[in-house]
Amino acid sequence: MGLQLPRRAAGNTRRGRRIFLLAVLCATVVLMAGCSSADRGEWKRLAMPEPVTEQGQHTLSLWQGAWIAALITGVIVWSLIFYSIWHFRRRSDDEIPIQTRYNLPLEIFYTIAPVIMIIVFFKATVDTQNLLLDDSQPPDQTIEVTGQQWQWTFNYPLDDNGDGAPDRYAYEVGTANYIPTLVLPVNELIRFNLHSPDVIHDFGVPGFLIKMDVVPGRVNHYNVTPTTIGTYSGKCYELCGVYHSRMIFTVKVVSQEDYVAYLGDLVSTGHVADQPLLGGDNADTPAGLVEPTNSEGAGE
Ligand SMILES: [Cu+2]
């Protein structure tokens, strides 16, 4: 009689553990079933935004590859840790195990292995960067982008006489009270030439999976080929001053016809100049936006 109670208690514990595991399994299945296809896509991309440019695919591959490599490393290291914890745990009849140290082959291995891993990561990063920055193809469109404190100006070259050289520029200027729109034709190679008249900004669209510093006195550039018609948001990625947070813009990827029509709209509404607006005296001063004095405070 005296032994029955503990045995039943042990059975209860085992049953309890089984019920708990079953509950966890059910909850997992329910949670997974609740995932929309968008959620599943996000899991697959490991939280990276869905790339909507050809070039963005390279960034995504690097991101996924790096995570897979890191996870494999993690699984090996965690397995070794938990194996050691379990296998060499203290037992009641145990004596202290043999104490060893200075295992030279092992020490050489765990010094060299991380160096090899870093070399592989470095090579993958440089290869991806070279693919992203490849500008050997002539672009279909070249857009002069100006980042000025604190908005963006987009200049679209117009080839009026068809000789391949820009004759005028249609433009769109953002201000403190107006978020500008960048319109891009789908499936065309677009080059952004980046200009800054004041401080370092950084021009990027999260969905494009590429961004670049906009440095005064130097014209950086990169190319993208948008692959999906849609509306996206872009921003300045470099803390560039008090109103940095206002440097957001809308991106519309449209069909070739809509792109031509958009440029026509800019011209017909007088948004056209002989030279691109590159900032400073040449760009519109953001209306109502002045450097706050000390008494006014920073505001944002
Ligand atoms: Cu900025």
Side-chain angles (χ1 to χ4, degrees):
M1 259 333 246
L3 285 172
Q4 257 177 355
L5 203 60
R7 212 179 288 154
R8 197 183 301 155
N12 282 347
T13 314
R14 221 172 293 140
R15 199 181 312 144
R17 208 179 293 159
R18 234 175 272 156
I19 289 168
F20 174 72
L21 281 175
L22 199 67
V24 168
L25 193 69
C26 288
T28 311
V29 169
V30 167
L31 278 173
M32 296 297 273
C35 283
S36 63
S37 63
D39 288 337
R40 278 195 291 276
E42 210 171 325
W43 272 102
K44 219 185 279 172
R45 296 191 304 275
L46 301 160
M48 192 61 115
E50 191 172 358
V52 291
T53 57
E54 274 176 21
Q55 292 75 4
Q57 295 292 342
H58 303 307
T59 313
L60 181 64
S61 302
L62 177 70
W63 173 252
Q64 286 169 319
W67 266 104
I68 290 166
L71 279 173
I72 291 171
T73 313
V75 166
I76 293 171
V77 172
W78 295 324
S79 307
L80 288 171
I81 290 172
F82 288 116
Y83 169 78
S84 310
I85 290 172
W86 181 253
H87 192 73
F88 300 108
R89 72 190 184 280
R90 181 154 196 181
R91 297 183 178 92
S92 54
D93 56 346
D94 239 4
E95 297 201 349
I96 290 174
I98 310 157
Q99 303 293 298
T100 52
R101 52 182 179 164
Y102 304 129
N103 186 325
L104 202 59
L106 199 61
E107 281 172 31
I108 290 172
F109 169 74
Y110 66 61
T111 306
I112 289 177
V115 173
I116 292 171
M117 285 166 66
I118 287 166
I119 290 171
V120 171
F121 276 127
F122 183 77
K123 168 91 170 56
T125 305
V126 170
D127 286 350
T128 304
Q129 186 175 293
N130 290 342
L131 283 169
L132 283 171
L133 298 182
D134 174 34
D135 59 359
S136 54
Q137 297 283 344
D140 299 313
Q141 308 288 340
T142 300
I143 298 174
E144 308 292 331
V145 175
T146 306
Q148 73 264 9
Q149 283 176 319
W150 284 276
Q151 250 306 346
W152 298 97
T153 300
F154 306 117
N155 300 278
Y156 305 86
L158 301 171
D159 183 9
D160 293 330
N161 55 22
D163 63 354
D167 301 303
R168 294 182 297 165
Y169 289 85
Y171 61 80
E172 160 90 333
V173 182
T175 71
N177 304 315
Y178 174 66
I179 295 172
T181 300
L182 170 66
V183 178
L184 304 172
V186 71
N187 293 329
E188 289 202 12
L189 184 64
I190 294 150
R191 174 167 304 176
F192 298 118
N193 286 335
L194 308 174
H195 309 265
S196 169
D198 39 53
V199 299
I200 298 175
H201 302 274
D202 194 303
F203 177 74
V205 179
F208 289 3
L209 303 194
I210 180 170
K211 66 185 185 68
M212 194 178 277
D213 272 8
V214 185
V215 182
R218 173 192 168 95
V219 182
N220 281 344
H221 70 269
Y222 66 86
N223 296 348
V224 293
T225 310
T227 52
T228 315
I229 288 179
T231 303
Y232 312 95
S233 51
K235 60 181 175 178
C236 178
Y237 280 85
E238 181 82 40
L239 181 59
C240 57
V242 174
Y243 295 109
H244 158 70
S245 61
R246 295 194 185 188
M247 289 188 69
I248 50 175
F249 57 98
T250 305
V251 182
K252 277 191 180 150
V253 176
V254 298
S255 66
Q256 176 64 31
E257 302 79 67
D258 288 351
Y259 178 70
V260 172
Y262 172 72
L263 294 190
D265 284 350
L266 285 180
V267 172
S268 64
T269 51
H271 293 87
V272 63
D274 291 336
Q275 296 295 322
L277 306 181
L278 300 182
D281 296 338
N282 203 5
D284 286 11
T285 303
L289 196 59
V290 289
E291 279 275 9
T293 60
N294 285 341
S295 59
E296 285 170 333
E300 276 177 43

